[in-house]
Amino acid sequence: MTATRVLVLNSGSSSVKYQLLDMRDSSRLANGLVERIGEQSSRLAHTPLATGGGSREWTGPIADHDAALKAVAEELAKDGLGLDSPELAAIGHRVVHGGKHFTEPTVIDDAVLAEIERLIPVAPLHNPANLTGIRTATALRPDLPQVAVFDTAFHTTMPEAAARYAIDVETADAHRVRRYGFHGTSHAYVSRATAKLLGKAPEEVNVIVLHLGNGASASAVEKGRCVDTSMGLTPLEGLVMGTRSGDTDPAVIFHLARVGEMSIDEIDTLLNKKSGLIGLCGDNDMREIRRRIDEGDERAKLAFDIYIHRLKKYIGAYYAVLGHVDAVAFTAGVGENAAPVREAAVAGLGSLGLAVDDELNAVRGDEPRLISPAGARVAVAVVPTDEELEIATQTYALVKKTN
């Protein structure tokens, strides 16, 4: 029997998201979420898609990631999809930070684990949780290939002119200070899916990808390769996000420390968790912000205007970086569902060939679709992202190649 299944694991600090896919047809067999790991009120929600059975959910104490993954394995086993199945080819792990070293999916061994651990200082919230998931999964199936798919990998093709900050080179190199970018699996998937929507190969098109969720990032993709992206050393740089400030004068930090007498930790919390949309208007849900705007709320309107202003600046900047643009693709929670955001982002950019058709923009759906007028010089698209499928695809391709 040929093993064709891939289990995708996304281990957060207190959660595990998972999907089991059959790579013969990229179908989903099961998915689920374990959250609030380490609490008495931990929750596991599991959906067996292959059997057509209903979702199952339970709450109770789940002490750690080891217990969480064992609980996931038990739920999968109830549907005949257990981790001991000979049809399971590999486990693919989302790893947020791969630095400069990891430019593609990688079979995990001790050396890979050590390098992911060495990168913890530049990804202190994410890489430790990713490592925990890898080690737990390896203990459960030590005979199975474990593959790391890195959020940063797609962006390693950026030229040095885009990747370096203009600070002292020796200092930057000593402390690994450079622009890495994130959401790479999403940008890779969406840029290829956009090319397919246009009936072309990825190497034939230039695409600006706008991944707009609670975290948000933009990328300039030239002939299938990323040449610039908005996030930098950390996911804080770039667009206005749900709770993150995005681009900010670095001197703001010095000012808040000296004049505001705030500690480094307080400033870190401010910029990462109390800024962006929630800092501007108290809400980080775009639906709620639009509702408030409709009711005449000026603070919500200002937050929306700042969000769009930054987004529009990046569209223009990446248009200049690419020189020629075939498509602008919106993706992720806000990008896929917030028609007013898409409309406002390209408003006034007709001279660049960008426009949306009101009726097409208002349509909701799960499939990639064009929302630009017929004959538009630059296609504007909505392309639902699928990071789990991207991770599974990369994992399975690597395992087949290795075998």
Side-chain angles (χ1 to χ4, degrees):
M1 179 185 294
T2 301
T4 59
R5 295 176 182 172
V6 173
L7 176 64
V8 175
L9 293 179
N10 182 352
S11 299
S13 58
S14 61
S15 67
V16 175
K17 297 178 183 178
Y18 63 94
Q19 283 199 20
L20 180 66
L21 299 94
D22 190 328
M23 300 315 296
R24 287 176 296 184
D25 56 4
S26 300
S27 60
R28 266 77 168 176
L29 304 178
N31 61 30
L33 167 69
V34 186
E35 58 184 351
R36 299 193 292 272
I37 295 171
E39 300 180 18
Q40 291 297 308
S41 60
S42 305
R43 171 179 172 269
L44 188 155
H46 173 84
T47 302
L49 301 168
T51 62
S55 297
R56 302 191 294 269
E57 182 176 326
W58 61 267
T59 58
I62 297 178
D64 50 30
H65 282 71
D66 181 66
L69 282 183
K70 286 178 179 176
V72 169
E74 289 175 5
E75 291 301 316
L76 289 168
K78 291 177 184 177
D79 306 309
L81 303 169
L83 297 192
D84 58 351
S85 169
E87 295 183 65
L88 189 60
I91 299 178
H93 298 266
R94 178 195 181 217
V95 179
V96 167
H97 217 307
K100 289 178 63 179
H101 184 71
F102 296 111
T103 61
E104 55 190 17
T106 305
V107 175
I108 299 168
D109 56 20
D110 289 343
V112 172
L113 282 172
E115 183 62 19
I116 295 172
E117 192 161 16
R118 282 210 317 135
L119 287 162
I120 286 176
V122 290
L125 298 179
H126 298 96
N127 274 30
N130 301 155
L131 281 166
T132 299
I134 291 168
R135 287 172 174 144
T136 301
T138 301
L140 289 174
R141 280 296 305 268
D143 59 315
L144 202 64
Q146 309 279 335
V147 175
V149 178
F150 299 91
D151 266 13
T152 49
F154 184 63
H155 304 304
T156 57
T157 55
M158 283 193 295
E160 286 293 279
R164 280 198 174 271
Y165 291 106
I167 65 173
D168 174 69
V169 172
E170 286 74 20
T171 301
D173 290 347
H175 300 288
R176 300 186 177 200
V177 176
R178 64 186 285 114
R179 304 186 64 251
Y180 294 102
F182 300 90
H183 294 146
T185 51
S186 177
H187 286 279
Y189 176 86
V190 171
S191 60
R192 287 202 305 273
T194 303
K196 183 178 180 181
L197 182 63
L198 299 180
K200 297 182 178 180
E203 298 77 19
E204 297 177 309
V205 298
N206 291 352
V207 183
I208 297 172
V209 178
L210 304 173
H211 178 108
L212 308 179
N214 193 50
S217 61
S219 68
V221 183
E222 183 178 45
K223 298 179 180 178
R225 293 166 57 87
C226 177
V227 294
D228 206 348
T229 192
S230 58
M231 287 179 168
L233 173 70
T234 75
L236 182 58
E237 186 180 354
L239 302 174
V240 176
M241 304 177 222
T243 66
R244 299 179 196 140
S245 64
D247 292 338
T248 306
D249 182 349
V252 168
I253 297 170
F254 314 142
H255 178 78
L256 293 175
R258 292 168 182 157
V259 179
E261 298 183 346
M262 295 176 68
S263 69
I264 291 297
D265 287 343
E266 288 173 330
I267 298 171
D268 190 323
T269 299
L270 171 71
L271 296 180
N272 276 290
K273 298 181 179 179
K274 297 182 178 180
S275 295
L277 293 171
I278 205 162
L280 289 167
C281 71
D283 271 311
N284 63 332
D285 187 319
M286 188 58 72
R287 293 166 296 188
E288 182 64 15
I289 291 171
R290 290 302 310 177
R291 184 193 66 76
R292 287 171 56 185
I293 291 172
D294 291 341
E295 293 179 353
D297 189 315
E298 288 299 321
R299 191 173 168 191
K301 184 179 185 304
L302 177 60
F304 183 82
D305 289 346
I306 293 171
Y307 181 95
I308 294 298
H309 181 78
R310 184 82 55 82
L311 183 57
K312 192 170 292 191
K313 282 174 64 175
Y314 268 90
I315 293 172
Y318 287 171
Y319 207 115
V321 166
L322 292 169
H324 167 79
V325 175
D326 295 287
V328 173
F330 290 86
T331 193
V334 174
E336 294 170 27
N337 297 299
V341 169
R342 299 191 295 260
E343 178 184 7
V346 302
L349 300 182
S351 61
L352 299 180
L354 289 164
V356 298
D357 178 282
D358 291 342
E359 291 186 8
L360 294 175
N361 191 34
V363 173
R364 299 182 68 118
D366 297 327
E367 297 298 321
R369 60 194 186 278
L370 294 177
I371 59 172
S372 45
R377 192 164 85 244
V378 178
V380 180
V382 179
V383 181
T385 191
D386 198 333
E387 294 174 87
E388 290 79 14
L389 177 58
E390 181 69 17
I391 292 170
T393 300
Q394 292 190 26
T395 296
Y396 189 61
L398 177 61
V399 170
K400 283 181 65 179
K401 178 182 178 182
T402 304
N403 289 341

